[in-house]
Amino acid sequence: MFSAVFSHLSSVVVDEVRADGSGIALMARSATREAACPDCGAVSGRVHGGYRRRLADLATAGREVVIDLLVRRFLCPAAECGRRTFVEQVDGLTERFARRTPLLRRSLEKIALALALAGRPRARLAAHLSIPTSANSLLRLVRRLPDKHVGAAPRVLGIDDFALKKGHVYGTIISDMEIGERVDVLPDRTADTLTAWLRAHPGAEIVCRDRASAYADAADTAAPQAVQVADRFQCVMRRRSVDATRPQARRPHSTAGAA
């Protein structure tokens, strides 16, 4: 039963399981005798030392799970390698400098990409699922995701701003309103940056945006053929049918009725 629930721990030895009212702690250690240097690839079995890493894992039975993992530091055998020592990484369980397992990271990424929620509600949802994190951590996960290749713009384009540093630095998120997925993220919320993006990715027929004048100017300049729906509420909706947006849609410089 244990191996079925914690299949991602198959490459380590679990010495002890500690449970209290709020969480579960798994005391584990690596089962391998050798590890490869991340720089030169040379395999070493010479142990230099070790230390314990605490990794947050996906919750089980409504309880937070922490893996207390003993990892070893090896000596690199290659004389020409600039790295004298290195720490082993357990496949499927550890990543460099990470404080959570890949399984938990992927779950948080799915929560972070839920466009129907903003940063703080996403964090509250994660806490409800017994995987507490902060809104800023979720935003960092989104920014670390590899960029997708973007060809033509989606037919129904959503444009809204978000805070990289609240009150100081803002970016722009572009989404496909018909499928509720993020398309791209721009480093600021200026008209010039959005205009360049729209010119590089033509094809938008409807632009759902907030009422910022910079977004209106960019849409007027680079996508004059598109109908603009000036309603911020539309930009955070996960799905919105075209029939629902058309009664509120106006031509550029117009605003939709109150949501």
Side-chain angles (χ1 to χ4, degrees), residues 6 8-9 14 16-20 22-28 52-60 63-69 93 99-101 104 130-132:
F6 297 97
H8 56 303
L9 299 180
V14 178
E16 185 180 358
V17 178
R18 300 176 182 174
D20 56 28
S22 60
I24 300 172
L26 305 177
M27 313 300 292
R52 305 199 75 91
R53 294 181 61 177
R54 288 181 61 84
L55 302 169
D57 197 18
L58 200 62
T60 299
R63 292 185 175 186
E64 298 177 26
V65 176
V66 174
I67 300 172
D68 193 314
L69 179 65
L93 186 60
R99 296 183 179 181
R100 55 177 65 96
T101 64
L104 176 58
S130 298
I131 45 177

PDB file of all heavy atoms in Angstrom, residues 6 8-9 14 16-20 22-28 52-60 63-69 93 99-101 104 130-132:
ATOM      1  N   PHE A   6       3.075   6.200  -2.474  1.00  0.00           N
ATOM      2  CA  PHE A   6       4.293   6.995  -2.613  1.00  0.00           C
ATOM      3  C   PHE A   6       5.218   6.348  -3.651  1.00  0.00           C
ATOM      4  O   PHE A   6       6.379   6.051  -3.367  1.00  0.00           O
ATOM      5  CB  PHE A   6       5.006   7.116  -1.267  1.00  0.00           C
ATOM      6  CG  PHE A   6       4.214   7.837  -0.217  1.00  0.00           C
ATOM      7  CD1 PHE A   6       3.475   7.139   0.727  1.00  0.00           C
ATOM      8  CD2 PHE A   6       4.194   9.225  -0.171  1.00  0.00           C
ATOM      9  CE1 PHE A   6       2.744   7.793   1.697  1.00  0.00           C
ATOM     10  CE2 PHE A   6       3.462   9.900   0.795  1.00  0.00           C
ATOM     11  CZ  PHE A   6       2.726   9.184   1.728  1.00  0.00           C
ATOM     12  N   HIS A   8       6.689   7.646  -6.074  1.00  0.00           N
ATOM     13  CA  HIS A   8       7.827   8.475  -6.444  1.00  0.00           C
ATOM     14  C   HIS A   8       8.981   8.347  -5.448  1.00  0.00           C
ATOM     15  O   HIS A   8      10.040   8.930  -5.645  1.00  0.00           O
ATOM     16  CB  HIS A   8       7.405   9.946  -6.551  1.00  0.00           C
ATOM     17  CG  HIS A   8       6.773  10.495  -5.313  1.00  0.00           C
ATOM     18  ND1 HIS A   8       5.652   9.953  -4.730  1.00  0.00           N
ATOM     19  CD2 HIS A   8       7.114  11.554  -4.528  1.00  0.00           C
ATOM     20  CE1 HIS A   8       5.334  10.634  -3.654  1.00  0.00           C
ATOM     21  NE2 HIS A   8       6.199  11.616  -3.509  1.00  0.00           N
ATOM     22  N   LEU A   9       8.775   7.539  -4.376  1.00  0.00           N
ATOM     23  CA  LEU A   9       9.830   7.303  -3.400  1.00  0.00           C
ATOM     24  C   LEU A   9      10.506   5.949  -3.615  1.00  0.00           C
ATOM     25  O   LEU A   9      11.235   5.480  -2.740  1.00  0.00           O
ATOM     26  CB  LEU A   9       9.259   7.366  -1.983  1.00  0.00           C
ATOM     27  CG  LEU A   9       8.627   8.687  -1.546  1.00  0.00           C
ATOM     28  CD1 LEU A   9       8.122   8.584  -0.115  1.00  0.00           C
ATOM     29  CD2 LEU A   9       9.618   9.833  -1.674  1.00  0.00           C
ATOM     30  N   VAL A  14      12.878   4.511   2.931  1.00  0.00           N
ATOM     31  CA  VAL A  14      12.149   5.224   3.981  1.00  0.00           C
ATOM     32  C   VAL A  14      12.399   4.505   5.300  1.00  0.00           C
ATOM     33  O   VAL A  14      11.983   3.355   5.494  1.00  0.00           O
ATOM     34  CB  VAL A  14      10.640   5.289   3.670  1.00  0.00           C
ATOM     35  CG1 VAL A  14       9.894   5.988   4.801  1.00  0.00           C
ATOM     36  CG2 VAL A  14      10.406   6.001   2.350  1.00  0.00           C
ATOM     37  N   GLU A  16      11.613   5.815   8.464  1.00  0.00           N
ATOM     38  CA  GLU A  16      10.643   6.084   9.523  1.00  0.00           C
ATOM     39  C   GLU A  16       9.539   6.984   8.990  1.00  0.00           C
ATOM     40  O   GLU A  16       9.776   7.835   8.121  1.00  0.00           O
ATOM     41  CB  GLU A  16      11.342   6.757  10.713  1.00  0.00           C
ATOM     42  CG  GLU A  16      10.460   6.981  11.928  1.00  0.00           C
ATOM     43  CD  GLU A  16      11.220   7.648  13.062  1.00  0.00           C
ATOM     44  OE1 GLU A  16      12.434   7.905  12.909  1.00  0.00           O
ATOM     45  OE2 GLU A  16      10.578   7.928  14.109  1.00  0.00           O
ATOM     46  N   VAL A  17       8.338   6.788   9.499  1.00  0.00           N
ATOM     47  CA  VAL A  17       7.196   7.636   9.172  1.00  0.00           C
ATOM     48  C   VAL A  17       6.669   8.225  10.472  1.00  0.00           C
ATOM     49  O   VAL A  17       6.309   7.482  11.395  1.00  0.00           O
ATOM     50  CB  VAL A  17       6.076   6.841   8.458  1.00  0.00           C
ATOM     51  CG1 VAL A  17       4.880   7.754   8.176  1.00  0.00           C
ATOM     52  CG2 VAL A  17       6.596   6.218   7.175  1.00  0.00           C
ATOM     53  N   ARG A  18       6.637   9.542  10.543  1.00  0.00           N
ATOM     54  CA  ARG A  18       6.143  10.227  11.734  1.00  0.00           C
ATOM     55  C   ARG A  18       4.879  10.989  11.367  1.00  0.00           C
ATOM     56  O   ARG A  18       4.867  11.736  10.386  1.00  0.00           O
ATOM     57  CB  ARG A  18       7.194  11.195  12.268  1.00  0.00           C
ATOM     58  CG  ARG A  18       8.511  10.535  12.667  1.00  0.00           C
ATOM     59  CD  ARG A  18       9.535  11.577  13.084  1.00  0.00           C
ATOM     60  NE  ARG A  18      10.818  10.971  13.430  1.00  0.00           N
ATOM     61  CZ  ARG A  18      11.917  11.675  13.716  1.00  0.00           C
ATOM     62  NH1 ARG A  18      11.864  13.018  13.711  1.00  0.00           N
ATOM     63  NH2 ARG A  18      13.043  11.046  14.014  1.00  0.00           N
ATOM     64  N   ALA A  19       3.837  10.798  12.132  1.00  0.00           N
ATOM     65  CA  ALA A  19       2.559  11.462  11.867  1.00  0.00           C
ATOM     66  C   ALA A  19       2.073  12.147  13.130  1.00  0.00           C
ATOM     67  O   ALA A  19       2.175  11.597  14.231  1.00  0.00           O
ATOM     68  CB  ALA A  19       1.514  10.456  11.383  1.00  0.00           C
ATOM     69  N   ASP A  20       1.565  13.359  12.938  1.00  0.00           N
ATOM     70  CA  ASP A  20       0.918  14.052  14.037  1.00  0.00           C
ATOM     71  C   ASP A  20      -0.424  14.571  13.542  1.00  0.00           C
ATOM     72  O   ASP A  20      -0.905  14.173  12.485  1.00  0.00           O
ATOM     73  CB  ASP A  20       1.806  15.181  14.588  1.00  0.00           C
ATOM     74  CG  ASP A  20       2.214  16.170  13.509  1.00  0.00           C
ATOM     75  OD1 ASP A  20       1.456  16.330  12.519  1.00  0.00           O
ATOM     76  OD2 ASP A  20       3.280  16.794  13.639  1.00  0.00           O
ATOM     77  N   SER A  22      -1.364  17.317  12.221  1.00  0.00           N
ATOM     78  CA  SER A  22      -1.432  18.188  11.050  1.00  0.00           C
ATOM     79  C   SER A  22      -0.648  17.700   9.849  1.00  0.00           C
ATOM     80  O   SER A  22      -0.871  18.166   8.735  1.00  0.00           O
ATOM     81  CB  SER A  22      -0.930  19.595  11.419  1.00  0.00           C
ATOM     82  OG  SER A  22       0.412  19.527  11.867  1.00  0.00           O
ATOM     83  N   GLY A  23       0.303  16.802  10.042  1.00  0.00           N
ATOM     84  CA  GLY A  23       1.123  16.421   8.902  1.00  0.00           C
ATOM     85  C   GLY A  23       1.810  15.084   9.064  1.00  0.00           C
ATOM     86  O   GLY A  23       1.708  14.416  10.101  1.00  0.00           O
ATOM     87  N   ILE A  24       2.519  14.693   8.007  1.00  0.00           N
ATOM     88  CA  ILE A  24       3.263  13.441   7.963  1.00  0.00           C
ATOM     89  C   ILE A  24       4.696  13.763   7.559  1.00  0.00           C
ATOM     90  O   ILE A  24       4.931  14.499   6.594  1.00  0.00           O
ATOM     91  CB  ILE A  24       2.644  12.453   6.948  1.00  0.00           C
ATOM     92  CG1 ILE A  24       1.199  12.128   7.334  1.00  0.00           C
ATOM     93  CG2 ILE A  24       3.472  11.184   6.846  1.00  0.00           C
ATOM     94  CD1 ILE A  24       0.461  11.306   6.286  1.00  0.00           C
ATOM     95  N   ALA A  25       5.657  13.219   8.282  1.00  0.00           N
ATOM     96  CA  ALA A  25       7.069  13.389   7.967  1.00  0.00           C
ATOM     97  C   ALA A  25       7.666  12.027   7.629  1.00  0.00           C
ATOM     98  O   ALA A  25       7.504  11.063   8.395  1.00  0.00           O
ATOM     99  CB  ALA A  25       7.821  14.026   9.130  1.00  0.00           C
ATOM    100  N   LEU A  26       8.332  11.949   6.486  1.00  0.00           N
ATOM    101  CA  LEU A  26       8.970  10.710   6.043  1.00  0.00           C
ATOM    102  C   LEU A  26      10.485  10.877   6.144  1.00  0.00           C
ATOM    103  O   LEU A  26      11.066  11.745   5.482  1.00  0.00           O
ATOM    104  CB  LEU A  26       8.576  10.390   4.599  1.00  0.00           C
ATOM    105  CG  LEU A  26       7.076  10.319   4.294  1.00  0.00           C
ATOM    106  CD1 LEU A  26       6.847  10.078   2.810  1.00  0.00           C
ATOM    107  CD2 LEU A  26       6.413   9.216   5.110  1.00  0.00           C
ATOM    108  N   MET A  27      11.125  10.059   6.973  1.00  0.00           N
ATOM    109  CA  MET A  27      12.576  10.080   7.107  1.00  0.00           C
ATOM    110  C   MET A  27      13.149   9.106   6.091  1.00  0.00           C
ATOM    111  O   MET A  27      12.894   7.899   6.157  1.00  0.00           O
ATOM    112  CB  MET A  27      12.993   9.688   8.526  1.00  0.00           C
ATOM    113  CG  MET A  27      12.196  10.397   9.630  1.00  0.00           C
ATOM    114  SD  MET A  27      12.351  12.195   9.575  1.00  0.00           S
ATOM    115  CE  MET A  27      14.081  12.356  10.027  1.00  0.00           C
ATOM    116  N   ALA A  28      13.906   9.625   5.133  1.00  0.00           N
ATOM    117  CA  ALA A  28      14.363   8.794   4.021  1.00  0.00           C
ATOM    118  C   ALA A  28      15.836   9.052   3.733  1.00  0.00           C
ATOM    119  O   ALA A  28      16.421  10.042   4.178  1.00  0.00           O
ATOM    120  CB  ALA A  28      13.524   9.059   2.785  1.00  0.00           C
ATOM    121  N   ARG A  52      20.803  16.811   5.358  1.00  0.00           N
ATOM    122  CA  ARG A  52      19.396  16.470   5.196  1.00  0.00           C
ATOM    123  C   ARG A  52      18.670  17.607   4.479  1.00  0.00           C
ATOM    124  O   ARG A  52      18.891  18.782   4.772  1.00  0.00           O
ATOM    125  CB  ARG A  52      18.734  16.184   6.551  1.00  0.00           C
ATOM    126  CG  ARG A  52      19.431  15.113   7.376  1.00  0.00           C
ATOM    127  CD  ARG A  52      18.513  14.547   8.439  1.00  0.00           C
ATOM    128  NE  ARG A  52      17.520  13.656   7.859  1.00  0.00           N
ATOM    129  CZ  ARG A  52      17.689  12.332   7.713  1.00  0.00           C
ATOM    130  NH1 ARG A  52      18.814  11.761   8.084  1.00  0.00           N
ATOM    131  NH2 ARG A  52      16.734  11.604   7.192  1.00  0.00           N
ATOM    132  N   ARG A  53      17.819  17.228   3.543  1.00  0.00           N
ATOM    133  CA  ARG A  53      16.977  18.176   2.828  1.00  0.00           C
ATOM    134  C   ARG A  53      15.522  17.938   3.219  1.00  0.00           C
ATOM    135  O   ARG A  53      15.080  16.785   3.308  1.00  0.00           O
ATOM    136  CB  ARG A  53      17.114  17.996   1.303  1.00  0.00           C
ATOM    137  CG  ARG A  53      18.463  18.321   0.753  1.00  0.00           C
ATOM    138  CD  ARG A  53      18.504  18.152  -0.749  1.00  0.00           C
ATOM    139  NE  ARG A  53      17.569  19.044  -1.453  1.00  0.00           N
ATOM    140  CZ  ARG A  53      17.481  19.108  -2.780  1.00  0.00           C
ATOM    141  NH1 ARG A  53      18.255  18.334  -3.540  1.00  0.00           N
ATOM    142  NH2 ARG A  53      16.632  19.939  -3.347  1.00  0.00           N
ATOM    143  N   ARG A  54      14.798  19.014   3.435  1.00  0.00           N
ATOM    144  CA  ARG A  54      13.372  18.926   3.749  1.00  0.00           C
ATOM    145  C   ARG A  54      12.596  19.344   2.505  1.00  0.00           C
ATOM    146  O   ARG A  54      12.703  20.488   2.046  1.00  0.00           O
ATOM    147  CB  ARG A  54      13.000  19.797   4.943  1.00  0.00           C
ATOM    148  CG  ARG A  54      13.497  19.244   6.268  1.00  0.00           C
ATOM    149  CD  ARG A  54      13.082  20.130   7.435  1.00  0.00           C
ATOM    150  NE  ARG A  54      11.637  20.231   7.569  1.00  0.00           N
ATOM    151  CZ  ARG A  54      10.873  19.352   8.201  1.00  0.00           C
ATOM    152  NH1 ARG A  54      11.418  18.293   8.764  1.00  0.00           N
ATOM    153  NH2 ARG A  54       9.575  19.530   8.299  1.00  0.00           N
ATOM    154  N   LEU A  55      11.837  18.403   1.955  1.00  0.00           N
ATOM    155  CA  LEU A  55      11.087  18.624   0.729  1.00  0.00           C
ATOM    156  C   LEU A  55       9.594  18.539   1.010  1.00  0.00           C
ATOM    157  O   LEU A  55       9.115  17.534   1.539  1.00  0.00           O
ATOM    158  CB  LEU A  55      11.467  17.579  -0.327  1.00  0.00           C
ATOM    159  CG  LEU A  55      12.940  17.503  -0.722  1.00  0.00           C
ATOM    160  CD1 LEU A  55      13.193  16.260  -1.552  1.00  0.00           C
ATOM    161  CD2 LEU A  55      13.345  18.743  -1.495  1.00  0.00           C
ATOM    162  N   ALA A  56       8.867  19.577   0.655  1.00  0.00           N
ATOM    163  CA  ALA A  56       7.412  19.509   0.753  1.00  0.00           C
ATOM    164  C   ALA A  56       6.894  18.628  -0.372  1.00  0.00           C
ATOM    165  O   ALA A  56       7.333  18.735  -1.521  1.00  0.00           O
ATOM    166  CB  ALA A  56       6.814  20.911   0.647  1.00  0.00           C
ATOM    167  N   ASP A  57       5.954  17.761  -0.050  1.00  0.00           N
ATOM    168  CA  ASP A  57       5.400  16.821  -1.029  1.00  0.00           C
ATOM    169  C   ASP A  57       3.893  16.997  -1.107  1.00  0.00           C
ATOM    170  O   ASP A  57       3.276  17.702  -0.299  1.00  0.00           O
ATOM    171  CB  ASP A  57       5.753  15.391  -0.625  1.00  0.00           C
ATOM    172  CG  ASP A  57       5.575  14.399  -1.765  1.00  0.00           C
ATOM    173  OD1 ASP A  57       5.516  14.841  -2.928  1.00  0.00           O
ATOM    174  OD2 ASP A  57       5.482  13.188  -1.489  1.00  0.00           O
ATOM    175  N   LEU A  58       3.288  16.345  -2.089  1.00  0.00           N
ATOM    176  CA  LEU A  58       1.846  16.409  -2.265  1.00  0.00           C
ATOM    177  C   LEU A  58       1.138  15.848  -1.036  1.00  0.00           C
ATOM    178  O   LEU A  58       1.567  14.842  -0.466  1.00  0.00           O
ATOM    179  CB  LEU A  58       1.441  15.629  -3.517  1.00  0.00           C
ATOM    180  CG  LEU A  58       0.081  15.954  -4.142  1.00  0.00           C
ATOM    181  CD1 LEU A  58       0.040  17.405  -4.596  1.00  0.00           C
ATOM    182  CD2 LEU A  58      -0.171  15.040  -5.323  1.00  0.00           C
ATOM    183  N   ALA A  59       0.068  16.510  -0.617  1.00  0.00           N
ATOM    184  CA  ALA A  59      -0.649  16.102   0.589  1.00  0.00           C
ATOM    185  C   ALA A  59      -1.265  14.717   0.431  1.00  0.00           C
ATOM    186  O   ALA A  59      -1.620  14.287  -0.671  1.00  0.00           O
ATOM    187  CB  ALA A  59      -1.733  17.116   0.926  1.00  0.00           C
ATOM    188  N   THR A  60      -1.399  14.029   1.558  1.00  0.00           N
ATOM    189  CA  THR A  60      -2.009  12.699   1.599  1.00  0.00           C
ATOM    190  C   THR A  60      -3.074  12.678   2.683  1.00  0.00           C
ATOM    191  O   THR A  60      -2.809  13.062   3.823  1.00  0.00           O
ATOM    192  CB  THR A  60      -0.959  11.614   1.886  1.00  0.00           C
ATOM    193  OG1 THR A  60       0.026  11.622   0.846  1.00  0.00           O
ATOM    194  CG2 THR A  60      -1.609  10.241   1.954  1.00  0.00           C
ATOM    195  N   ARG A  63      -3.461  15.718   4.810  1.00  0.00           N
ATOM    196  CA  ARG A  63      -2.360  16.097   5.684  1.00  0.00           C
ATOM    197  C   ARG A  63      -1.158  16.545   4.858  1.00  0.00           C
ATOM    198  O   ARG A  63      -0.854  15.952   3.821  1.00  0.00           O
ATOM    199  CB  ARG A  63      -1.940  14.935   6.587  1.00  0.00           C
ATOM    200  CG  ARG A  63      -2.969  14.545   7.636  1.00  0.00           C
ATOM    201  CD  ARG A  63      -2.394  13.473   8.547  1.00  0.00           C
ATOM    202  NE  ARG A  63      -3.294  13.133   9.637  1.00  0.00           N
ATOM    203  CZ  ARG A  63      -2.967  12.316  10.622  1.00  0.00           C
ATOM    204  NH1 ARG A  63      -1.762  11.751  10.643  1.00  0.00           N
ATOM    205  NH2 ARG A  63      -3.830  12.052  11.584  1.00  0.00           N
ATOM    206  N   GLU A  64      -0.479  17.556   5.333  1.00  0.00           N
ATOM    207  CA  GLU A  64       0.746  17.984   4.685  1.00  0.00           C
ATOM    208  C   GLU A  64       1.804  16.892   4.817  1.00  0.00           C
ATOM    209  O   GLU A  64       1.902  16.231   5.852  1.00  0.00           O
ATOM    210  CB  GLU A  64       1.266  19.274   5.309  1.00  0.00           C
ATOM    211  CG  GLU A  64       0.321  20.454   5.178  1.00  0.00           C
ATOM    212  CD  GLU A  64       0.846  21.686   5.873  1.00  0.00           C
ATOM    213  OE1 GLU A  64       2.095  21.790   6.011  1.00  0.00           O
ATOM    214  OE2 GLU A  64       0.042  22.521   6.299  1.00  0.00           O
ATOM    215  N   VAL A  65       2.603  16.719   3.766  1.00  0.00           N
ATOM    216  CA  VAL A  65       3.649  15.697   3.759  1.00  0.00           C
ATOM    217  C   VAL A  65       4.998  16.375   3.550  1.00  0.00           C
ATOM    218  O   VAL A  65       5.159  17.187   2.636  1.00  0.00           O
ATOM    219  CB  VAL A  65       3.409  14.649   2.661  1.00  0.00           C
ATOM    220  CG1 VAL A  65       4.569  13.654   2.598  1.00  0.00           C
ATOM    221  CG2 VAL A  65       2.099  13.916   2.904  1.00  0.00           C
ATOM    222  N   VAL A  66       5.949  16.032   4.423  1.00  0.00           N
ATOM    223  CA  VAL A  66       7.318  16.533   4.305  1.00  0.00           C
ATOM    224  C   VAL A  66       8.257  15.339   4.249  1.00  0.00           C
ATOM    225  O   VAL A  66       8.130  14.400   5.040  1.00  0.00           O
ATOM    226  CB  VAL A  66       7.687  17.441   5.497  1.00  0.00           C
ATOM    227  CG1 VAL A  66       9.165  17.831   5.430  1.00  0.00           C
ATOM    228  CG2 VAL A  66       6.811  18.677   5.509  1.00  0.00           C
ATOM    229  N   ILE A  67       9.193  15.378   3.298  1.00  0.00           N
ATOM    230  CA  ILE A  67      10.189  14.317   3.173  1.00  0.00           C
ATOM    231  C   ILE A  67      11.512  14.835   3.725  1.00  0.00           C
ATOM    232  O   ILE A  67      12.075  15.810   3.210  1.00  0.00           O
ATOM    233  CB  ILE A  67      10.356  13.882   1.713  1.00  0.00           C
ATOM    234  CG1 ILE A  67       9.019  13.359   1.159  1.00  0.00           C
ATOM    235  CG2 ILE A  67      11.428  12.809   1.583  1.00  0.00           C
ATOM    236  CD1 ILE A  67       9.042  13.094  -0.325  1.00  0.00           C
ATOM    237  N   ASP A  68      11.990  14.220   4.782  1.00  0.00           N
ATOM    238  CA  ASP A  68      13.283  14.562   5.386  1.00  0.00           C
ATOM    239  C   ASP A  68      14.307  13.608   4.783  1.00  0.00           C
ATOM    240  O   ASP A  68      14.439  12.462   5.214  1.00  0.00           O
ATOM    241  CB  ASP A  68      13.210  14.424   6.905  1.00  0.00           C
ATOM    242  CG  ASP A  68      14.398  15.055   7.593  1.00  0.00           C
ATOM    243  OD1 ASP A  68      15.532  14.825   7.137  1.00  0.00           O
ATOM    244  OD2 ASP A  68      14.204  15.784   8.582  1.00  0.00           O
ATOM    245  N   LEU A  69      15.021  14.075   3.770  1.00  0.00           N
ATOM    246  CA  LEU A  69      15.856  13.198   2.938  1.00  0.00           C
ATOM    247  C   LEU A  69      17.337  13.414   3.221  1.00  0.00           C
ATOM    248  O   LEU A  69      17.831  14.552   3.162  1.00  0.00           O
ATOM    249  CB  LEU A  69      15.555  13.467   1.459  1.00  0.00           C
ATOM    250  CG  LEU A  69      16.366  12.656   0.442  1.00  0.00           C
ATOM    251  CD1 LEU A  69      16.037  11.168   0.551  1.00  0.00           C
ATOM    252  CD2 LEU A  69      16.095  13.165  -0.973  1.00  0.00           C
ATOM    253  N   LEU A  93      12.501  12.975  -7.568  1.00  0.00           N
ATOM    254  CA  LEU A  93      12.236  13.397  -6.192  1.00  0.00           C
ATOM    255  C   LEU A  93      12.893  14.734  -5.846  1.00  0.00           C
ATOM    256  O   LEU A  93      12.295  15.555  -5.144  1.00  0.00           O
ATOM    257  CB  LEU A  93      12.707  12.325  -5.213  1.00  0.00           C
ATOM    258  CG  LEU A  93      12.373  12.557  -3.731  1.00  0.00           C
ATOM    259  CD1 LEU A  93      10.860  12.637  -3.528  1.00  0.00           C
ATOM    260  CD2 LEU A  93      12.964  11.443  -2.871  1.00  0.00           C
ATOM    261  N   ARG A  99      12.743  23.214  -2.874  1.00  0.00           N
ATOM    262  CA  ARG A  99      12.248  22.843  -1.551  1.00  0.00           C
ATOM    263  C   ARG A  99      10.951  22.066  -1.628  1.00  0.00           C
ATOM    264  O   ARG A  99      10.290  21.880  -0.615  1.00  0.00           O
ATOM    265  CB  ARG A  99      12.058  24.099  -0.697  1.00  0.00           C
ATOM    266  CG  ARG A  99      13.354  24.842  -0.419  1.00  0.00           C
ATOM    267  CD  ARG A  99      13.124  26.027   0.481  1.00  0.00           C
ATOM    268  NE  ARG A  99      14.369  26.737   0.768  1.00  0.00           N
ATOM    269  CZ  ARG A  99      14.466  27.795   1.546  1.00  0.00           C
ATOM    270  NH1 ARG A  99      13.362  28.281   2.122  1.00  0.00           N
ATOM    271  NH2 ARG A  99      15.620  28.385   1.748  1.00  0.00           N
ATOM    272  N   ARG A 100      10.575  21.657  -2.826  1.00  0.00           N
ATOM    273  CA  ARG A 100       9.384  20.830  -3.009  1.00  0.00           C
ATOM    274  C   ARG A 100       9.691  19.773  -4.055  1.00  0.00           C
ATOM    275  O   ARG A 100      10.585  19.931  -4.887  1.00  0.00           O
ATOM    276  CB  ARG A 100       8.177  21.679  -3.427  1.00  0.00           C
ATOM    277  CG  ARG A 100       8.406  22.515  -4.665  1.00  0.00           C
ATOM    278  CD  ARG A 100       7.145  23.278  -5.061  1.00  0.00           C
ATOM    279  NE  ARG A 100       6.761  24.274  -4.077  1.00  0.00           N
ATOM    280  CZ  ARG A 100       7.101  25.564  -4.158  1.00  0.00           C
ATOM    281  NH1 ARG A 100       7.859  25.996  -5.166  1.00  0.00           N
ATOM    282  NH2 ARG A 100       6.702  26.425  -3.250  1.00  0.00           N
ATOM    283  N   THR A 101       8.941  18.672  -4.024  1.00  0.00           N
ATOM    284  CA  THR A 101       9.155  17.598  -4.977  1.00  0.00           C
ATOM    285  C   THR A 101       8.584  17.982  -6.343  1.00  0.00           C
ATOM    286  O   THR A 101       7.700  18.846  -6.436  1.00  0.00           O
ATOM    287  CB  THR A 101       8.472  16.310  -4.499  1.00  0.00           C
ATOM    288  OG1 THR A 101       7.045  16.515  -4.444  1.00  0.00           O
ATOM    289  CG2 THR A 101       8.970  15.903  -3.115  1.00  0.00           C
ATOM    290  N   LEU A 104       4.762  17.807  -6.419  1.00  0.00           N
ATOM    291  CA  LEU A 104       4.081  18.963  -5.839  1.00  0.00           C
ATOM    292  C   LEU A 104       4.233  20.178  -6.736  1.00  0.00           C
ATOM    293  O   LEU A 104       3.284  20.955  -6.905  1.00  0.00           O
ATOM    294  CB  LEU A 104       4.649  19.247  -4.448  1.00  0.00           C
ATOM    295  CG  LEU A 104       4.112  20.489  -3.744  1.00  0.00           C
ATOM    296  CD1 LEU A 104       2.605  20.426  -3.580  1.00  0.00           C
ATOM    297  CD2 LEU A 104       4.795  20.677  -2.396  1.00  0.00           C
ATOM    298  N   SER A 130      -4.230  21.357   1.362  1.00  0.00           N
ATOM    299  CA  SER A 130      -3.150  20.953   2.273  1.00  0.00           C
ATOM    300  C   SER A 130      -1.782  21.019   1.608  1.00  0.00           C
ATOM    301  O   SER A 130      -0.884  20.235   1.933  1.00  0.00           O
ATOM    302  CB  SER A 130      -3.401  19.539   2.827  1.00  0.00           C
ATOM    303  OG  SER A 130      -4.595  19.504   3.565  1.00  0.00           O
ATOM    304  N   ILE A 131      -1.610  21.937   0.666  1.00  0.00           N
ATOM    305  CA  ILE A 131      -0.296  22.195   0.079  1.00  0.00           C
ATOM    306  C   ILE A 131      -0.055  23.705   0.132  1.00  0.00           C
ATOM    307  O   ILE A 131      -0.061  24.390  -0.888  1.00  0.00           O
ATOM    308  CB  ILE A 131      -0.182  21.662  -1.367  1.00  0.00           C
ATOM    309  CG1 ILE A 131      -1.431  22.014  -2.190  1.00  0.00           C
ATOM    310  CG2 ILE A 131       0.036  20.177  -1.383  1.00  0.00           C
ATOM    311  CD1 ILE A 131      -1.341  21.573  -3.640  1.00  0.00           C
ATOM    312  N   PRO A 132       0.113  24.254   1.344  1.00  0.00           N
ATOM    313  CA  PRO A 132       0.187  25.711   1.502  1.00  0.00           C
ATOM    314  C   PRO A 132       1.369  26.318   0.758  1.00  0.00           C
ATOM    315  O   PRO A 132       2.463  25.759   0.715  1.00  0.00           O
ATOM    316  CB  PRO A 132       0.339  25.890   3.021  1.00  0.00           C
ATOM    317  CG  PRO A 132       0.918  24.602   3.494  1.00  0.00           C
ATOM    318  CD  PRO A 132       0.334  23.537   2.609  1.00  0.00           C
TER     319      PRO A 132
END
